[in-house]
Amino acid sequence: MIVRTLTDIVGTDRDVDAPTFSSRRLVLAKEGVGFSLHDTILYAGSETVMWYANHIEAVYCIEGTGELIDHETGEKYDVAPGTMYLLDGHEHHTLKAITQLRMVCVFNPALTGREVHDEDGVYPLITEPPEVAEGVTV
Ligand code: 9YT
């Protein structure tokens, strides 16, 4: 079992800054469980254009208000605490943060922590084997 708090990871290499958001990665590929789990803050007034061509992402809003635009259909959705969206079709999308947004995000395959958005808002596909816990013989 792994138990970890947000306080444990803030300011470590699990706390990744981008121009429009800060992503705190509680579970990464090195945990070897097939998904990563992030607590992401998107800054008030920001717009993030994304396209997860290589990943499926589920996003659950727990704080703030915003707007999600699906560029495949042109549809717009209000985002508020309790809103979830699942990018099961690798949709191009934009997330506008009206106020600061706090989103819980799950990625499959798991992010390794080394990915950065390219000019299209895509994270590259990087895979790595699970980390073997110290002292464990396999
Ligand atoms: C929804 C969202 O915040 N996407 C951008 C960042 C991504 N969730 C991440 O790397 O944590």
Side-chain angles (χ1 to χ4, degrees):
M1 183 188 295
I2 296 168
V3 179
R4 170 174 296 144
T5 69
L6 196 55
T7 313
D8 290 337
I9 64 170
V10 167
T12 72
D13 59 359
R14 287 176 179 270
D15 180 4
V16 176
D17 282 324
T20 57
F21 63 86
S22 166
S23 173
R24 293 82 58 90
R25 278 88 186 256
L26 290 150
V27 178
L28 282 170
K30 60 187 163 191
E31 271 77 57
V33 292
F35 63 87
S36 57
L37 174 68
H38 313 183
D39 179 328
T40 303
I41 298 288
L42 294 113
Y43 306 131
S46 68
E47 292 190 16
T48 309
V49 180
M50 292 170 272
W51 175 39
Y52 292 126
N54 302 308
H55 299 85
I56 300 295
E57 187 192 22
V59 182
Y60 184 62
C61 178
I62 57 170
E63 284 175 21
T65 56
E67 186 181 51
L68 171 69
I69 302 156
D70 178 344
H71 295 298
E72 311 297 333
T73 62
E75 273 187 271
K76 295 181 178 178
Y77 304 89
D78 291 334
V79 173
T83 306
M84 185 285 306
Y85 61 90
L86 175 65
L87 299 162
D88 58 340
H90 304 283
E91 295 89 347
H92 289 80
H93 63 289
T94 295
L95 185 56
K96 295 184 181 181
I98 296 167
T99 65
Q100 176 175 288
L101 285 171
R102 185 170 176 204
M103 313 295 266
V104 176
C105 312
V106 176
F107 277 82
N108 176 281
L111 295 198
T112 64
R114 300 193 300 278
E115 297 84 353
V116 286
H117 279 176
D118 70 10
E119 66 279 6
D120 294 319
V122 176
Y123 281 140
L125 183 61
I126 308 175
T127 55
E128 65 182 16
E131 214 169 57
V132 177
E134 246 175 68
V136 175
T137 320
V138 288

